[in-house]
Amino acid sequence: MAAIERKKEHRVEGIDQETFKPTGKGVGKDSGPQHHRQPKRTISGDIVRQASLDAFKKLNPVVMIKNPVMFIVEIGTFITLLLCINPDLFVASEAGRGYNIAVFLILLFTLLFANFAEALAEGRGRAQADTLRKTKSDTTAKLVQKDGTTKQVSGAQLKKGDIVRVEAGELIPTDGEIIEGLASIDESAITGESAPVIKEAGGDFSSVTGGTRVTSDYIVIRVQTDPGESFLDRMISLVEGAQRQKTPNEIALTTLLAVLTLIFLIVILTMVPMANYLGIQLDLATLIALLVCLIPTTIGGLLSAIGIAGMDRVTQFNVLAMSGKAVEAAGDIDTLILDKTGTITYGNRMASEFVPVQGVTVQEMTRAALQASVRDETPEGRSVVELAGKQGESWMEQEYAGAENVEFTAETRMSGLNLGSGTQIRKGAVDAIKRHIVSRSGRIPADLDDIANRIAKAGGTPLAVAIDDRIYGVIYLKDTVKPGLKEKFAEMRSMGIKTIMCTGDNPLTAATIALEAGVDDFIAEAKPEDKITAIKKEQQAGKLVAMTGDGTNDAPALAQADVGLAMNSGTMAAKEAANMIDLDSDPTKLLSVVSIGKQLLITRGALTTFSISNDIAKYFAIIPAMFIVAMPQLQALNIMNLASPQSAILSALIFNAIIIPLLIPIAMKGVKYRAMSAERLLGRNVLIYGVGGVIVPFIGIKLIDLILSGLHLV
């Protein structure tokens, strides 16, 4: 009974001590899925001011050359600046200095607007990084010495392998794994969620993050990172964009834009001898204006901002993406593989009944279950001890002083004790216990399978209990499917995503949970290598695969998957292997990540379509203006009936500049994604951004022309 009383001392807010179930006072992995809360992110005046300054700093050619489209615009801007000083510098020009100054200023603002879009996206990331830096203070730590005493040291001195004790009210100095204790931990500095979560030694809820605070009890942790390599350090670096690399799609689009720019540059250069042949004098400033208007400057100016904003939107859902490539890959996911325990279900399976086999009394079965669980520190093991205590069974610590603890492994799927007398006590999966008994030449009770099947059909997990060569009965563990998952999986199905549940449970239990959760398929009695096999099978079929997981045994599969989403409440190994980490530990969050990935791809495609479509209207504005004097027949192309050649050119150039800041909100927020087939989605976006990209410039250029002519500026 002493052990039962000892365990009850660990009272943690948010967990009912009688049932070990959530009370609603705390949140975290055991308290159900977090809603996809999207914190309202406002762009402060400080961010705007800093982005305005950064827009000028980014005019550095070393920075601009990374964006070929805007680098060409910068070269044109520099040439027009020289023309402002001396209009006849390169060739004799009929254009006045005022016209050249107007072209220069418009081109300069085109560059600044494009740089401002990127700087604004980066500014939001830096603001978040600054918030995290405030969390990352130089804490002190109680370093456990070899003799068991503690020594106060700076958190910055801790290295991998050190043992640290953290008590209630203290900050956890760095990332680590709990090796002793159970405590309530405030992770609001990382997740934004104010309610505490439960962390304990052993299992999949043992990792802790530096900068979080212990609010009750104490824990002893083993440091998992060296200085500067903590989860918070990586998070700061990632959200501020210091490690952002262009994704394959972004690189491909940049290459396409560079090729288009080169083609238009060749076209403009060939216009000069053609115009000379026709006796037309083309001003250099006008040729530069034509080039800038025809090359895809809109998407060129917004491309980087779209990628940065895409990663920022992921962080708004409290998901840390290790790369933009992971976000993009999420948008193309075909198959989602989910771990059952703690992902589809709450994961806090609790003993609800001891079912004896024929010839065994309930009291005997209860005693056997208690003996098999006295050294089991998992929530399931504690619930067995608790239930046995309620039914009148007790035990003394000294009875098991010399007992050898047998840990559960994925291979044996059993745990238990070896007593000093030679008695072996085991509990575990029914088939594993049956093999164990057969190996000892024991007898399998006739009603064992019936009991196990009945529990499995009810959605529970049966654990058989045996002492030496005799099976005493089955522990009925209850688990609960998280609410709302069936609707989420149905939405994934409408997006063309197949869901597969992996579980170590027997096929009957797996089938019941799969039906209740609404997944498309399941893999029962799965070992860690089975998850990798399932992922490789899907990948060999040409599909992109995502997986969520939280345990150390999930780490290999998370690394193999195209998108691996680890739960923040999970082990450090899982978080190291994944390319995304969900700070809320909500496995359904992957649906939001997939939507954001698709939104990123759609936004980039939509704005590219809009940018290229713009060229049609600008073509009808500038080409007639350039040649109409020498070739009056081109008046037929002047369908906008613009006031003068100079007005047409400046109007097109001004529209080309101001459309960039007007599209910044769309680039930052993203084009709204709706779950529909790819064909319908493509048709919808072509209609809106393709046709719209043709119509809007006609209207915009005409309005600007009316303003310029009305003010007698040209």
Side-chain angles (χ1 to χ4, degrees), residues 33-38 313-314 317 319 326-327 329-338 343 483-499 517 520 546-548 563-565 567 580 582 585-600 673-676:
Q34 305 298 309
H35 295 294
H36 300 320
R37 51 188 176 80
Q38 186 174 5
R313 283 195 296 276
V314 172
F317 281 90
V319 174
V327 180
D332 288 328
I333 285 301
D334 302 295
T335 304
L336 170 60
I337 296 179
L338 306 104
T343 301
L485 281 185
K486 196 162 190 173
E487 293 76 13
K488 295 293 184 184
F489 292 144
E491 189 175 342
M492 286 186 176
R493 197 173 299 111
S494 70
M495 296 161 62
I497 299 174
K498 178 183 178 183
T499 53
D520 298 315
M547 178 182 170
T548 62
V563 176
L565 179 67
M567 303 296 103
M580 288 189 180
D582 176 20
S585 299
D586 173 11
T588 63
K589 187 76 68 64
L590 190 58
L591 177 61
S592 295
V593 174
V594 169
S595 296
I596 293 170
K598 289 183 179 296
Q599 186 183 45
L600 172 62
Y673 171 73
R674 291 180 174 85
M676 61 178 69

Side-chain angles (χ1 to χ4, degrees), residues 586-628:
D586 173 11
T588 63
K589 187 76 68 64
L590 190 58
L591 177 61
S592 295
V593 174
V594 169
S595 296
I596 293 170
K598 289 183 179 296
Q599 186 183 45
L600 172 62
L601 296 175
I602 291 168
T603 301
R604 186 181 295 147
L607 293 184
T608 300
T609 303
F610 185 87
S611 177
I612 295 175
S613 299
N614 276 346
D615 293 342
I616 298 175
K618 289 181 282 188
Y619 172 86
F620 279 100
I622 295 183
I623 295 298
M626 292 176 63
F627 296 99
I628 199 168

Side-chain angles (χ1 to χ4, degrees), residues 490-558:
E491 189 175 342
M492 286 186 176
R493 197 173 299 111
S494 70
M495 296 161 62
I497 299 174
K498 178 183 178 183
T499 53
I500 302 174
M501 179 185 76
C502 279
T503 176
D505 290 336
N506 62 66
L508 279 174
T509 301
T512 302
I513 296 294
L515 181 63
E516 185 178 350
V519 295
D520 298 315
D521 199 0
F522 66 89
I523 301 172
E525 299 178 343
K527 297 181 178 66
E529 56 267 26
D530 294 331
K531 297 176 182 179
I532 299 179
T533 301
I535 292 172
K536 288 182 177 179
K537 180 181 177 182
E538 294 292 320
Q539 290 174 331
Q540 286 168 1
K543 298 179 180 179
L544 290 181
V545 182
M547 178 182 170
T548 62
D550 54 13
T552 300
N553 64 338
D554 293 326
L558 288 169

Side-chain angles (χ1 to χ4, degrees), residues 157-318:
Q157 297 177 6
L158 296 175
K159 58 184 183 298
K160 194 171 184 178
D162 286 344
I163 306 298
V164 178
R165 181 185 174 97
V166 188
E167 299 183 354
E170 296 178 347
L171 282 174
I172 295 173
T174 187
D175 299 352
E177 293 276 354
I178 302 175
I179 58 175
E180 180 185 331
L182 175 149
S184 175
I185 297 177
D186 176 10
E187 296 186 329
S188 58
I190 304 296
T191 67
E193 178 57 65
S194 59
V197 295
I198 310 305
K199 294 294 180 75
E200 60 188 329
D204 294 341
F205 307 97
S206 58
S207 75
V208 290
T209 304
T212 57
R213 185 181 299 275
V214 174
T215 58
S216 72
D217 297 271
Y218 79 94
I219 52 174
V220 177
I221 67 172
R222 179 181 289 112
V223 177
Q224 296 291 319
T225 59
D226 289 321
E229 299 177 358
S230 71
F231 178 67
L232 197 57
D233 288 318
R234 287 188 296 145
M235 190 172 177
I236 291 170
S237 180
L238 287 162
V239 298
E240 71 180 356
Q243 294 183 2
R244 191 186 102 83
Q245 296 179 339
K246 289 186 177 182
T247 65
N249 284 344
E250 196 173 347
I251 293 172
L253 183 55
T254 301
T255 303
L256 174 62
L257 297 180
V259 171
L260 287 175
T261 301
L262 180 61
I263 291 172
F264 281 118
L265 180 60
I266 294 172
V267 170
I268 297 301
L269 292 176
T270 57
M271 274 189 176
V272 176
M274 292 173 59
N276 290 337
Y277 177 78
L278 295 172
I280 301 172
Q281 178 67 41
L282 293 179
D283 293 315
L284 185 55
T286 298
L287 288 172
I288 292 172
L290 176 61
L291 175 63
V292 170
C293 285
L294 291 184
I295 63 177
T297 50
T298 305
I299 185 61
L302 296 173
L303 185 58
S304 183
I306 293 170
I308 296 171
M311 290 190 67
D312 183 66
R313 283 195 296 276
V314 172
T315 63
Q316 289 182 37
F317 281 90
N318 264 12

Side-chain angles (χ1 to χ4, degrees), residues 365-405:
M365 169 56 193
T366 303
R367 181 67 185 174
L370 173 63
Q371 289 181 304
S373 304
V374 291
R375 293 286 179 84
D376 187 349
E377 292 298 321
T378 65
E380 292 90 342
R382 291 200 299 273
S383 73
V384 171
V385 175
E386 191 74 19
L387 181 59
K390 288 180 180 179
Q391 296 185 6
E393 289 294 330
S394 62
W395 62 286
M396 301 299 291
E397 181 69 38
Q398 54 267 32
E399 295 178 28
Y400 304 93
E404 177 190 359
N405 189 36

Side-chain angles (χ1 to χ4, degrees), residues 1-18:
M1 197 67 181
I4 294 178
E5 294 302 321
R6 187 180 71 250
K7 288 181 175 64
K8 284 187 177 181
E9 291 176 2
H10 295 292
R11 304 191 63 85
V12 183
E13 182 182 9
I15 293 291
D16 186 298
Q17 301 304 309
E18 298 299 318

